[in-house]
């Protein structure tokens, strides 16, 4: 069964199961709803709705018709990740949503045991489901290790991958019996999003257990030229915060996070609104929402039984705000030398303190056996008895921080500890040890200014002296103007935390928004069919566009012959197709046809050898029609996005009331406008003083006749999509919209369609990238003429001579044009270079034969220019990555694109004028143009500056409120409308 038939079968199965569940529920109104035994006895969903109707208004948001919305909560197996997801479960349970907390039996037990602030027994709609996790050997923590990251837990982290299969089985059962299943997972468990994307009614959201500030800091650090999180604040590098093994683990796990519909942070506008806003401008959030929902623990705490007899009795006897609480979290510990210095510092400070002294958590906290004793200096506890208390083992931190006697917190700055302290108005003394803690400490002390520094992050491996500790404790706890200001700011942050949960507060609004989204009611799914024209420059952009729609949770079926589907997958760059299981491929039968080999010596550079393939693509019409018929019957709407040269798709779609067609143009708006103005009786220029490029000079006569036959169906489309953005072509998109053919049809500029944060799929140790890594920044000219163009042997000799004489570094991709079937066996004819050329330029140049990952090359820091044929994909990649161009158009839309690059945007220099397209360009002219682009002069520096500005404009197009993001919202809203 093909992938498409599999999708259809799932949808029909789901429809029948929902109808059956609905009828059973109608027949057995009032009975207890059972989902795999996960619900406890309690009110039925209908009874819950009746009760909700008389309760507060926001409880009415989940009026489900058939099966309920079920929330699965999947934490990462570590204490700092278990707690926030259990707190978030309570917030959803308060909105009458059933929540299933899923993990290993040991971690579920741990989460329940250490819960603070509210009573789990009061929330019967929260249940726990144990997933089987095989045992694995976990070493004991080593407090004497210089590295404070809990590396001893790495085996537990690695083995958590074994939860994948049990989770998949659970999802399959729940998806069949529920209207929607929502997975809220830790980003380090992102395979949950991957598994969920296989089901039409499963949606995934990531819950980040770190601050927005630290998340932003880490993401900015991944950039080539990291910007500060805020003026004067350098981002903290993750390399110093984690072990190499954990960073590799993160890299393996994070690839599926883009499949989530959005991310939730335990934060609120009053402390991190600025950084949440900056996060939304990052490329990875271009199509995903962010919610700041915090503090997630209850503002009014329910105190449990005292697990440490005497602890609260002691606190009750201390004056208000006089006690410094000292704790380093669940997964950190100090060396014996550091414990001794800390003890001395606390004693010398003369301040009251409550010190929780414990070893880091084991892999299984319930494992029997005594822990090694942590020794304090002899007589210490006796000497501080009047002012200090040492508590060994785990302690209820939330309840301690909420006690009136506590006036400060000496903390490792884990985000849970920071949020608890901030929300309860307790100032901090910061002592970061690993992970996100250094960035959190920076937020607390330098941004919010509600704490003092005990240890700077730069000195993380040193033993902090007693004198330094004493000084920091006195600064925080003494009655001084500085300490009073810190307390005043802390009180304001506490009030802001309470305000966030007021009826109109930021966290209340964010939670409302999140629940509205996951409880929305939809009918049968919208299906998108993607039909490209069978040529490389048309396959790639439609596959990139498929990714953008898949990020919006739309199922996409990519259609083509088996050879072209295989070609599209093989040459995909910038993102991993396996991370998008909602994109499937369906092979349409295309009969074989004889295709001649390309002729590089031909004066006409248009790939005329592919014309038989173009003509044969008309044979895809009948298979497409056979596919549309059953899909239109089983779906609320079928959307066909097709190349204008495949406009028979719009013709076929017009026969069905629920099929809509849209054309995706793989050329620039500028070249499209240029060609269309040329057809007018009295052609006007695209812009004053710009000559129009005539299509007659750019294509063969046979191809123009083919275009004329194919184009008549375009008028049946609802609109056209261009891979462009307002910052480069807003003027020309606007002019296009005034042409008569767009009178009743819309235009969207949705570019750049490639991901702006590229996932490197090539071998970084390959000869090509090894060579690039050794070159200075911005020094290499990349030379390539695309997939369907080639130069004559005489022109190759002149180009080689020009590159050599220029004295500039270059990477030259030398290859024959694509055959009709790129997988056809047989060697391509050898392309000869002048004798001794490669040896003479071995210090400065590299020649690569065959296809290369152009996106990854252009994104490399060593590349500072691109000698290009000016195909629109190449232009958009170069523009979006800030690489200036040397233009050498050969055919098709390339002359108009070259005009746009050099005369309008002014981000390139001319190598070959279009009028001289059939002449052999001499080496001298090539040398002059290469030096004009690559040698630092006022002119080349201006070109580079403009290129950098357009790169930034490309990023802004996908930021919140950006032109491309707004256009994509508009397009998705249109195709998914009720």
């Amino acid at each position: 069964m093909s992938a498409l038939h599999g999708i259809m079968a799932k949808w029909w199965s789901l429809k029948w199961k929902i109808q059956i569940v609905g009828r059973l529920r109608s027949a057995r109104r009032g009975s207890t709803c059972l989902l795999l035994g996960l619900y406890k006895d309690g009110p039925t969903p209908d009874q819950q709705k009746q009760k909700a109707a008389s309760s507060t208004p926001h409880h009415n948001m989940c009026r489900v018709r058939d099966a309920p919305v079920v929330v699965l909560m999947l934490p990462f197996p570590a204490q700092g990740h278990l707690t926030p997801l259990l707190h978030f479960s309570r917030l959803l349970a308060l909105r009458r949503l059933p929540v299933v907390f899923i993990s290993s039996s040991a971690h579920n037990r741990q989460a329940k045991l250490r819960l603070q602030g509210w009573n789990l027994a009061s929330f019967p709609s929260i249940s726990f489901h144990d997933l089987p996790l095989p045992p694995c050997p976990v070493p004991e923590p080593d407090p004497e290790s210089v590295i404070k990251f809990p590396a001893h837990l790495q085996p537990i982290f690695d083995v958590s991958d074994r939860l994948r299969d049990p989770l998949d089985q659970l999802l399959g059962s729940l998806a069949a019996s529920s209207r929607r299943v929502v997975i809220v997972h830790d980003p380090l468990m992102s395979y949950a999003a991957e598994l969920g994307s296989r089901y039409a009614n499963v949606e995934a959201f990531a819950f980040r257990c770190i601050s927005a500030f630290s998340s932003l800091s880490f993401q900015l650090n991944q950039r080539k030229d990291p910007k500060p999180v805020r003026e004067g604040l350098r981002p903290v590098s993750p390399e110093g915060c984690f072990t190499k093994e954990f960073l590799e683990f993160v890299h393996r796990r994070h690839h599926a996070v883009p499949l989530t519909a959005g991310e939730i942070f335990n934060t609120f506008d009053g402390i991190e609104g600025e950084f949440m806003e900056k996060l939304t401008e990052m490329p990875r959030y271009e199509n995903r929402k962010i919610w700041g929902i915090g503090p997630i623990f209850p503002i009014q705490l329910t105190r449990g039984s005292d697990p440490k007899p005497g602890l609260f009795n002691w606190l009750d006897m201390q004056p208000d705000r006089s006690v410094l609480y000292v704790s380093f979290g669940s997964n950190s510990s100090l060396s014996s030398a550091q414990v001794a210095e800390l003890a001395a510092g606390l004693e010398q400070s003369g301040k009251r303190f409550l010190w929780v002294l414990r070893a880091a958590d084991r892999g299984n906290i319930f494992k029997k056996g005594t822990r090694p004793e942590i020794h304090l200096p002899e007589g210490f506890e006796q000497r501080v008895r009047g002012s200090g208390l040492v508590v060994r083992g785990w302690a209820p931190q939330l309840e301690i921080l909420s006690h009136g006697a506590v006036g400060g917190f000496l903390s490792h700055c884990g985000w849970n500890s920071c949020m608890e302290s901030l929300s309860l108005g307790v100032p901090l003394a910061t002592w970061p040890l690993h992970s996100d803690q250094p960035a959190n400490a920076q937020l607390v002390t330098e941004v919010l200014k509600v704490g003092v520094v005990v240890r700077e992050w730069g000195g993380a491996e040193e033993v902090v002296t007693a004198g330094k500790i004493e000084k920091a404790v006195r600064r925080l706890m003494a009655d001084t103007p500085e300490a009073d200001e810190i307390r005043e700011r802390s009180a304001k942050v506490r009030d802001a935390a309470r305000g966030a949960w007021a009826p109109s507060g930021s966290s209340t609004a964010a939670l409302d928004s999140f629940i509205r989204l996951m409880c929305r009611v939809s009918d049968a799914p919208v299906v998108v069919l993607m039909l490209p024209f069978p040529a490389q420059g048309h396959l790639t952009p439609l596959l990139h566009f498929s990714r953008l729609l898949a990020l919006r949770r739309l199922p996409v079926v990519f259609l083509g012959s088996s050879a072209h589907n295989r070609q599209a997958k093989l040459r995909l760059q910038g993102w991993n197709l396996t991370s998008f299981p909602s994109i499937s491929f369906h092979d349409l039968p295309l009969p074989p046809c004889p295709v001649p080999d390309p002729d590089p010596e031909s004066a006409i550079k248009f790939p005329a050898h592919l014309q038989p393939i173009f003509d044969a693509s008309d044979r895809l019409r009948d298979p497409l029609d056979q596919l549309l018929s059953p899909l239109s019957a089983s779906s609320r709407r079928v959307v066909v996005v097709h190349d204008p040269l495949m406009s028979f798709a719009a013709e076929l779609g017009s026969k069905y009331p629920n099929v809509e067609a849209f054309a995706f143009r793989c050329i620039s708006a500028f070249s499209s406008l240029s060609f269309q103005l040329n057809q007018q009786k009295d052609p006007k220029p695209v812009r004053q003083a710009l000559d129009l490029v005539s299509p007659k000079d750019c294509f063969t006569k046979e191809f123009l006749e083919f275009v004329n036959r194919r184009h008549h169906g375009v008028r049946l489309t609802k609109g056209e999509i261009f891979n462009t953005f307002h910052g480069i072509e807003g003027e020309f998109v606007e002019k296009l919209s005034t042409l008569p053919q767009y009178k009743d049809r819309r235009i969207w500029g949705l570019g750049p369609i490639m991901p702006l944060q590229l996932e490197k799929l090539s071998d970084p140790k390959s000869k090509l990238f090894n060579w690039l890594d050794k070159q200075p920044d911005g020094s290499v000219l990349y030379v390539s003429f695309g997939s369907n163009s080639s130069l004559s042997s005489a022109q190759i000799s002149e180009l080689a001579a020009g590159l050599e004489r220029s004295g500039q570094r270059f990477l030259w991709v030398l290859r024959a044009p694509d055959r009709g079937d790129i997988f056809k066996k047989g060697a391509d004819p050898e392309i000869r270079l002048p004798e001794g050329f490669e040896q003479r330029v071995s210090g400065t140049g590299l020649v690569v034969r065959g296809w290369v990952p152009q996106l990854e090359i252009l994104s490399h820091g060593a590349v500072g220019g691109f000698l290009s044929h000016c195909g629109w994909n190449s232009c958009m990649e170069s523009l979006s990555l800030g690489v200036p161009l040397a233009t050498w158009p050969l055919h098709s839309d390339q002359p108009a694109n070259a005009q746009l690059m050099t005369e309008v945007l002014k981000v390139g220099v001319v190598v070959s004028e279009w009028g001289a397209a059939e002449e052999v360009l001499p080496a001298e002219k090539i040398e002059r143009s290469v030096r004009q682009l690559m040698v630092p002069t006022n002119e080349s520096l201006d070109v580079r500056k403009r290129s950098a500005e357009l790169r930034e404009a490309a990023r802004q197009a996908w930021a919140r409120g950006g032109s491309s993001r707004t256009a994509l919202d508009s397009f998705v809203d249109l195709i998914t409308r009720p």
Side-chain angles (χ1 to χ4, degrees):
M1 182 182 288
S2 72
L4 181 60
H5 291 152
I7 289 173
M8 291 169 63
K10 278 184 185 176
W11 289 339
W12 277 111
S13 171
L14 176 62
K15 277 187 175 182
W16 279 108
K17 284 174 182 175
I18 287 177
Q19 288 171 14
I20 290 165
V21 169
R23 288 169 189 158
L24 282 173
R25 195 166 279 133
S26 298
R28 298 171 58 194
R29 192 76 67 186
S31 63
T32 300
C33 174
L34 296 177
L35 285 176
L36 302 178
L38 296 176
Y39 289 174
K40 297 179 179 180
D41 288 342
T44 65
D46 291 315
Q47 290 168 340
Q48 288 179 349
K49 283 189 281 183
Q50 289 169 12
K51 183 177 179 181
S54 62
S55 186
T56 52
H58 59 244
H59 287 159
N60 286 325
M61 291 179 189
C62 288
R63 293 179 174 176
V64 294
R65 292 181 304 194
D66 293 318
V69 173
V70 184
V71 182
L72 301 184
M73 204 68 64
L74 182 67
F76 185 62
Q79 182 61 47
H81 298 247
L82 296 169
T83 297
L85 266 75
L86 190 48
H87 281 318
F88 191 52
S89 300
R90 167 189 160 273
L91 290 178
L92 299 185
L94 283 170
R95 299 298 184 91
R96 303 295 192 268
L97 285 165
V99 181
V100 186
F101 196 90
I102 50 178
S103 191
S104 72
S105 59
H107 289 105
N108 277 346
R109 185 180 166 199
Q110 179 176 332
K112 287 184 274 189
L113 177 71
R114 291 183 172 174
L115 178 65
Q116 305 167 64
W118 53 283
N119 193 334
L120 193 55
S122 301
F123 292 86
S125 61
I126 299 174
S127 55
F128 290 76
H129 183 77
D130 295 344
L131 296 176
L133 189 66
C136 65
V138 180
E140 293 287 330
D142 178 12
E144 302 303 322
S145 172
V146 172
I147 298 168
K148 293 304 172 188
F149 183 84
H152 66 287
L153 296 178
Q154 191 64 50
I156 288 282
F157 303 160
D158 292 334
V159 82
S160 64
D161 196 61
R162 302 286 288 275
L163 299 176
R164 178 192 289 262
D165 290 343
L167 175 62
D168 196 17
Q169 293 165 20
L170 181 63
L171 277 176
S173 302
L174 281 177
S177 58
S178 308
R179 178 168 62 80
R180 178 173 291 116
V181 179
V182 173
I183 312 172
V184 178
H185 64 86
D186 194 288
L188 296 174
M189 306 293 276
S190 68
Y191 56 72
E194 210 175 327
L195 295 173
S197 65
R198 301 176 189 173
Y199 303 95
N201 63 331
V202 175
E203 201 163 29
F205 300 86
F207 189 107
R208 289 204 178 269
C209 297
I210 62 175
S211 63
F213 181 89
S214 61
S215 182
L216 180 63
S217 183
F218 290 154
Q219 290 183 52
L220 288 173
N221 244 297
Q222 294 171 16
R223 290 184 170 179
K224 186 179 168 187
D225 181 23
K227 293 181 180 178
V229 183
R230 185 197 262 187
E231 199 61 42
L233 289 180
R234 291 296 299 169
V236 176
S237 169
E239 274 74 20
C241 302
F242 304 93
T243 60
K244 179 188 172 192
E245 291 76 15
F246 186 76
L247 285 174
E248 289 170 354
F249 170 84
V250 170
H251 184 71
R252 292 195 303 272
R253 282 288 178 88
H254 244 241
H255 71 277
V257 171
L259 292 175
T260 61
E263 296 187 8
I264 303 146
F265 285 81
N266 174 21
T267 191
F268 56 97
D269 276 2
I271 57 170
E272 292 202 289
E274 167 192 349
F275 309 112
M276 293 283 286
E277 187 63 33
K278 287 181 178 178
L279 272 176
T280 64
E281 296 166 4
M282 303 291 286
R284 71 189 299 170
Y285 295 107
E286 63 189 15
N287 295 305
R288 294 160 64 235
K289 297 189 73 169
I290 302 178
W291 294 271
I293 302 176
I296 49 172
F297 65 86
I299 295 293
Q300 285 205 325
L301 304 178
T302 301
R303 181 175 292 181
S305 58
D306 188 354
K308 296 284 179 185
L311 186 159
F312 288 101
N313 283 340
W314 184 85
L315 279 175
D316 289 343
M317 293 186 285
Q318 311 308 315
D320 280 355
R321 301 295 172 194
S322 66
V323 175
L324 176 71
Y325 171 56
V326 182
S327 175
F328 293 88
S330 303
N331 292 318
S332 305
S333 51
L334 304 180
S335 67
S336 53
Q338 187 61 82
V339 168
E341 290 294 318
L342 176 53
L346 291 172
E347 184 176 358
Q348 289 163 202
S349 75
K351 300 299 177 185
R352 290 177 172 84
F353 64 86
L354 169 59
W355 182 3
V356 176
L357 186 63
R358 63 186 296 268
D361 278 350
R362 290 168 162 172
N364 182 350
I365 67 165
F366 303 104
K367 179 183 175 183
K368 293 181 180 178
T370 56
R371 308 297 301 274
E373 188 180 351
I374 302 174
H375 293 285
L376 287 166
E378 192 173 349
F380 169 75
E381 289 182 85
Q382 289 75 24
R383 292 194 300 275
V384 300
R385 183 166 296 174
S387 59
L389 179 66
V390 177
V391 177
R392 286 172 168 79
W394 189 85
Q397 177 169 292
L398 199 50
E399 297 176 25
I400 291 169
L401 286 171
S402 68
H403 196 285
V406 175
F409 183 8
L410 196 164
S411 172
H412 63 311
C413 295
W415 186 236
N416 292 331
S417 292
C418 287
M419 271 298 283
E420 291 165 6
S421 202
L422 291 169
S423 305
L424 293 166
V426 179
L428 291 114
T430 64
W431 188 326
L433 296 170
H434 58 78
S435 305
D436 57 324
Q437 299 164 18
N440 296 337
Q442 196 178 40
L443 173 67
V444 166
T445 57
E446 297 183 57
V447 178
L448 301 176
K449 301 185 187 301
V450 290
V452 301
V453 175
V454 180
R455 181 177 66 176
E456 298 283 356
W457 175 237
E461 294 177 8
E462 300 169 7
V463 172
V464 184
T465 62
K468 192 169 185 180
I469 296 165
E470 175 192 352
K471 184 178 177 182
V473 171
R474 285 178 173 276
R475 272 186 69 200
L476 187 70
M477 301 301 293
D479 293 322
T480 62
E482 180 194 20
D484 287 342
E485 285 178 11
I486 289 174
R487 290 185 193 111
E488 186 178 338
R489 283 191 290 269
S490 296
K492 287 178 180 176
V493 170
R494 177 197 62 209
D495 293 343
R498 294 178 184 277
W501 283 115
S504 59
S506 65
S507 294
T508 302
L511 183 60
D512 287 347
S513 162
F514 176 70
I515 290 178
R516 273 196 302 271
L517 176 66
M518 69 178 190
C519 293
R520 70 197 182 280
V521 176
S522 61
D523 298 320
V526 173
V527 190
V528 181
L529 302 183
M530 204 68 64
L531 183 66
F533 185 62
Q536 182 62 46
H538 298 247
L539 297 169
T540 297
L542 266 76
L543 190 49
H544 280 318
F545 189 50
S546 300
R547 167 187 160 271
L548 289 178
L549 297 183
L551 283 169
R552 296 299 184 93
R553 309 288 296 175
L554 287 165
V556 181
V557 185
F558 197 89
L559 306 174
S561 71
S562 59
H564 289 107
N565 279 349
R566 185 179 167 199
Q567 179 177 333
K569 288 184 273 190
L570 177 70
R571 291 182 172 175
L572 178 64
Q573 305 169 63
W575 53 283
N576 196 330
L577 193 57
T578 59
S579 300
F580 292 84
S582 60
I583 300 174
S584 57
F585 289 77
H586 184 75
D587 296 343
L588 298 175
L590 187 67
C593 62
V595 179
D597 282 333
D599 178 12
E601 301 303 322
S602 171
I604 298 169
K605 294 305 171 186
F606 183 84
H609 67 288
L610 296 177
Q611 191 64 49
I613 288 282
F614 303 159
D615 293 334
S617 64
D618 197 61
R619 305 284 289 274
L620 299 176
R621 177 190 291 262
D622 289 344
L624 176 62
D625 196 16
Q626 292 164 20
L627 184 63
L628 281 174
S629 180
L631 267 182
S632 65
S634 62
S635 308
R636 179 164 58 85
R637 180 175 294 116
V638 179
V639 173
V640 186
V641 178
H642 64 86
D643 194 288
L645 296 174
M646 306 293 276
S647 66
F648 58 74
E651 266 181 86
L652 296 173
S654 66
K655 299 191 297 185
Y656 304 95
N658 64 332
V659 175
E660 290 178 345
F662 299 85
F664 189 107
R665 289 202 179 268
C666 298
I667 61 175
S668 63
F670 181 89
S671 62
S672 182
L673 180 62
S674 182
F675 290 155
Q676 292 185 54
L677 289 174
N678 245 298
Q679 295 171 20
Q680 295 180 351
K681 195 172 180 181
D682 181 22
K684 295 178 181 178
V686 180
R687 186 195 263 188
Q688 202 63 36
L690 285 183
D691 293 332
L692 282 175
V693 176
S694 170
K696 292 177 183 176
D697 301 326
C698 303
F699 304 93
T700 61
K701 179 187 172 190
E702 292 77 12
F703 187 76
L704 285 175
E705 290 172 353
F706 170 84
V707 170
N708 192 43
R709 293 194 304 273
R710 281 287 177 89
H711 241 247
H712 66 278
V714 173
R715 67 182 185 279
L716 296 173
T717 63
K718 281 194 167 288
E720 295 186 9
I721 303 151
F722 284 83
N723 175 20
T724 191
F725 57 97
H726 187 78
I728 58 170
E729 292 202 290
E731 167 191 349
F732 309 113
V733 171
E734 186 64 32
K735 286 181 177 178
L736 271 176
S737 67
T738 64
L739 295 178
Q741 54 266 51
Y742 293 104
K743 181 182 176 185
D744 298 312
R745 294 161 63 239
R746 297 180 63 177
I747 302 177
W748 293 270
L750 299 173
I753 50 171
M754 65 176 195
L756 291 177
Q757 275 201 325
L758 303 179
E759 187 174 348
K760 302 291 174 67
L761 304 177
S762 304
D763 180 4
K765 296 180 181 177
S766 67
K767 179 183 176 183
L768 188 160
F769 287 103
N770 273 339
W771 185 83
L772 278 176
D773 289 342
K774 295 172 187 171
Q775 310 310 312
D777 280 355
S779 66
V780 176
L781 177 72
Y782 171 56
V783 182
S784 176
F785 292 89
S787 303
N788 292 317
S789 305
S790 57
L791 304 179
S792 67
S793 52
Q795 186 62 82
I796 284 171
S797 294
E798 292 297 316
L799 175 54
L803 290 172
E804 184 176 357
R805 290 178 197 170
S806 75
Q808 303 303 304
R809 291 177 171 84
F810 64 86
L811 169 61
W812 182 3
V813 177
L814 188 62
R815 64 185 295 267
D818 281 349
R819 293 169 166 178
D821 180 350
I822 68 166
F823 303 103
K824 180 182 174 184
K825 291 182 180 178
D828 285 325
E830 186 183 354
I831 303 174
R832 297 183 185 278
L833 288 166
E835 192 172 349
F837 170 76
E838 289 184 84
Q839 290 75 24
R840 291 194 302 276
V841 300
S842 61
T844 56
L846 179 67
V847 177
V848 180
R849 287 169 169 82
W851 189 87
V852 297
Q854 177 167 293
L855 254 182
E856 295 181 29
I857 291 170
L858 287 172
S859 69
H860 195 286
V863 175
F866 182 8
L867 197 165
S868 172
H869 64 310
C870 296
W872 186 236
N873 292 330
S874 292
C875 288
M876 272 298 283
E877 290 166 5
S878 206
L879 287 170
S880 305
L881 294 166
V883 179
L885 290 118
T887 64
W888 189 330
L890 297 170
H891 58 79
S892 305
D893 57 324
Q894 298 164 18
N897 295 338
Q899 196 178 42
L900 175 65
M901 296 301 110
T902 56
E903 297 183 56
V904 177
L905 301 177
K906 301 185 187 302
V907 290
V909 301
V910 175
V911 181
S912 173
E913 297 284 355
W914 175 236
E918 294 179 12
E919 300 172 8
V920 172
L921 201 64
E924 294 78 12
K925 192 166 185 181
I926 297 167
E927 174 192 352
R928 186 166 60 247
S929 297
V930 170
R931 294 181 64 82
Q932 187 184 355
L933 184 70
M934 299 302 293
V935 174
T937 62
N938 288 340
E939 179 191 10
S940 67
L941 290 174
D942 283 346
V943 167
R944 288 177 195 174
K945 182 183 176 185
R946 284 190 290 271
S947 297
E949 288 169 353
L950 289 186
R951 177 190 62 209
E952 188 56 33
R955 295 184 180 279
Q956 287 305 312
W958 284 113
R960 181 178 286 185
S963 64
S964 295
R965 187 165 179 171
T966 303
L968 183 60
D969 288 344
S970 160
F971 179 72
V972 171
D973 286 347
L974 176 64
I975 65 175
T976 59
R977 68 193 183 279

